[in-house]
Amino acid sequence: MSEAPWLTIIGLGEDGPDGLCAASRSALDTAEIVMGPERHLSLIQTSARTIPWPVPFSKGVEDLLELRGTPCVVLTSGDPFWFGAGTTITGHLDRNEWHAYPGRSTFSLAANRLGWPLDRTICTGLHTAPLTRLRPHLSPGVRLIVLLRDGGAVTELSSYLRDTGFGASAVTVMEALGGPRERMTHTTADALSGDFAHPVCAAIEVAGNGPVLPRASGLPDTLFESDGVMTKRHIRALTLSTLAPRPGEHLWDIGGGSGTIGIEWLLCDPTLAASVVEPRADRIALINANARALGVDRLHVVEGSAPAALKDLPKPDAVFIGGGLSSDLLTFIEGLNDVRIVANAVTLESEALLADAHARRGGELHRFEVAQAQPMGRKHGWTQAYPITQWSFP
């Protein structure tokens, strides 16, 4: 028989040991060391040695790993594997080294206080993440439950909702749910004020007239900051359709410009990853600003020129070439295995490279032309954008 796990992770609620199951109580009784935030340690009584979890969090993981083999308990909030510490901790361990006993999650408690269907409510944790991650979800009628860093983050949340045009949103601030200090404040983002204490979360019913991010590819160009170099809306929609993002995939966006392709790729699904390569520092700043504003700060931005800047990146599932097209770059990309390639060209020289690639490798070659009606005196006429040649493979 294998040895019993040395680590037990226990989700502790604000009601302290009263909410623990028999297995959790037994683990606490037999532990030699108990680690956790000081707030959690203050809720229990134990003869074990107690160690407050340090800041930064990663230091606590290091300290815990040095105790490997000693019977330990780690206290976390609620469900350790729902925006909790469980995933980070167990990522350093073998599966037979630990077991966990979850408590009642803050999301479940909040939904039950409000009567919200949890299966139709967006739940997210923003303890260490920026509030801009809410941006893709801000649409009238959407319900969100958001875990927040501390009381100060509640004020930041109300300011963010106002600034994005959703100050009319109903907000319920919930402190210390499930414990004797529980308090609920019902208000709107416009009217929200006061002091709030950790642990705290907010339930938001979105309302207002701020711009909503469409779910379809091809966001309005006005949502992006740009110096004029960007894949425009209609071509972007066609390009993303050809790239065909699938859950869990990683994109290389080469010649990022304003970052529009990489950003919209990430907006398709939270499991997607993207690396944008751009040689100009001023455009790097634009790309990062756009990614933050649209809620995908996880975009990986690399300053450099392809193909040299590509060699240390994680292997992609799809590659988009929107700028810097050259024979050397195509040779490098074509040398990758099991990768979808989409390249756009505007100049005759770049178009010739794509025509040659199509002749050698096959795939599909398309030409897209977009015209927009513009005033011509008292009437209107068509203004033609530069035609785009697109090669995709396979």
Side-chain angles (χ1 to χ4, degrees):
M1 296 180 59
S2 61
E3 295 184 3
W6 62 272
L7 174 64
T8 301
I9 304 171
I10 296 176
L12 189 67
E14 291 302 302
D15 53 353
D18 292 343
L20 295 180
C21 66
S24 296
R25 292 173 182 270
S26 176
L28 272 175
D29 290 341
T30 57
E32 295 182 20
I33 296 174
V34 178
M35 290 184 68
E38 290 189 8
R39 178 173 59 85
H40 287 4
L41 295 175
S42 70
L43 295 174
I44 65 166
Q45 291 184 342
T46 178
S47 59
R49 174 189 169 201
T50 58
I51 302 177
W53 200 277
V55 177
F57 184 85
S58 58
K59 178 61 168 60
V61 175
E62 294 174 5
D63 294 346
L64 178 65
L65 293 178
E66 291 181 0
L67 300 171
R68 207 176 211 135
T70 302
C72 291
V73 163
V74 168
L75 301 176
T76 70
S77 295
D79 186 340
F81 293 92
W82 200 355
F83 293 101
T87 305
T88 302
I89 293 171
T90 59
H92 299 269
L93 303 173
D94 293 332
R95 182 61 190 88
N96 62 355
E97 292 186 89
W98 62 271
H99 53 195
Y101 300 109
R104 295 175 297 174
S105 74
T106 300
F107 300 115
S108 294
L109 289 169
N112 278 272
R113 297 292 187 272
L114 299 172
W116 285 9
L118 200 55
D119 57 307
R120 298 194 297 276
T121 300
I122 296 170
C123 300
T124 188
L126 300 181
H127 306 90
T128 59
L131 292 172
T132 53
R133 291 204 184 167
L134 297 177
R135 187 65 187 87
H137 308 300
L138 296 183
S139 180
V142 170
R143 287 172 167 172
L144 305 105
I145 299 174
V146 184
L147 307 183
L148 296 169
R149 179 188 68 250
D150 53 27
V154 176
T155 303
E156 296 171 14
L157 173 64
S158 65
S159 297
Y160 179 71
L161 292 171
R162 289 196 301 269
D163 292 344
T164 51
F166 297 98
S169 298
V171 178
T172 300
V173 181
M174 291 171 271
E175 303 164 78
L177 277 176
R181 298 186 299 112
E182 179 175 314
R183 183 174 70 138
M184 299 176 64
T185 303
H186 304 280
T187 183
T188 65
D190 283 333
L192 194 151
S193 62
D195 296 325
F196 302 95
H198 178 74
V200 62
C201 73
I204 307 164
E205 194 157 17
V206 181
N209 57 6
V212 175
L213 300 189
R215 290 301 187 186
S217 296
L219 296 180
D221 294 341
T222 53
L223 289 175
F224 298 94
E225 295 291 332
S226 175
D227 61 359
V229 176
M230 66 188 301
T231 303
K232 298 296 177 63
R233 177 181 185 177
H234 298 92
I235 300 300
R236 193 183 328 126
L238 291 166
T239 299
L240 284 157
S241 176
T242 307
L243 284 167
R246 302 166 191 170
E249 290 191 327
H250 181 210
L251 171 74
W252 285 357
D253 177 2
I254 301 171
S258 301
T260 56
I261 293 292
I263 288 170
E264 287 215 40
W265 168 279
L266 293 178
L267 286 170
C268 291
D269 191 90
T271 66
L272 292 167
S275 298
V276 175
V277 176
E278 169 58 49
R280 286 181 47 171
D282 55 339
R283 289 183 181 153
I284 292 287
L286 271 177
I287 294 168
N288 282 320
N290 284 327
R292 287 192 300 269
L294 295 175
V296 288
D297 56 283
R298 69 185 190 277
L299 182 68
H300 179 217
V301 185
V302 178
E303 183 175 351
S305 297
L310 304 173
K311 295 177 181 178
D312 294 327
L313 296 181
K315 184 180 181 297
D317 300 285
V319 175
F320 170 63
I321 305 174
L325 186 63
S326 67
S327 58
D328 287 345
L329 176 57
L330 274 178
T331 299
F332 182 87
I333 297 301
E334 289 179 55
L336 302 173
N337 295 320
D338 301 320
V339 172
R340 302 192 302 281
I341 305 170
V342 178
N344 290 353
V346 176
T347 67
L348 292 174
E349 290 79 6
S350 295
E351 186 178 273
L353 289 173
L354 297 188
D356 178 66
H358 178 254
R360 288 184 290 102
R361 300 294 302 277
E364 296 186 1
L365 193 65
H366 293 98
R367 184 179 176 87
F368 302 124
E369 298 187 22
V370 178
Q372 183 174 359
Q374 297 284 2
M376 295 180 64
R378 290 179 295 174
K379 299 185 179 182
H380 290 77
W382 294 109
T383 298
Q384 187 81 34
Y386 286 116
I388 301 290
T389 299
Q390 183 181 91
W391 175 59
S392 58
F393 178 85

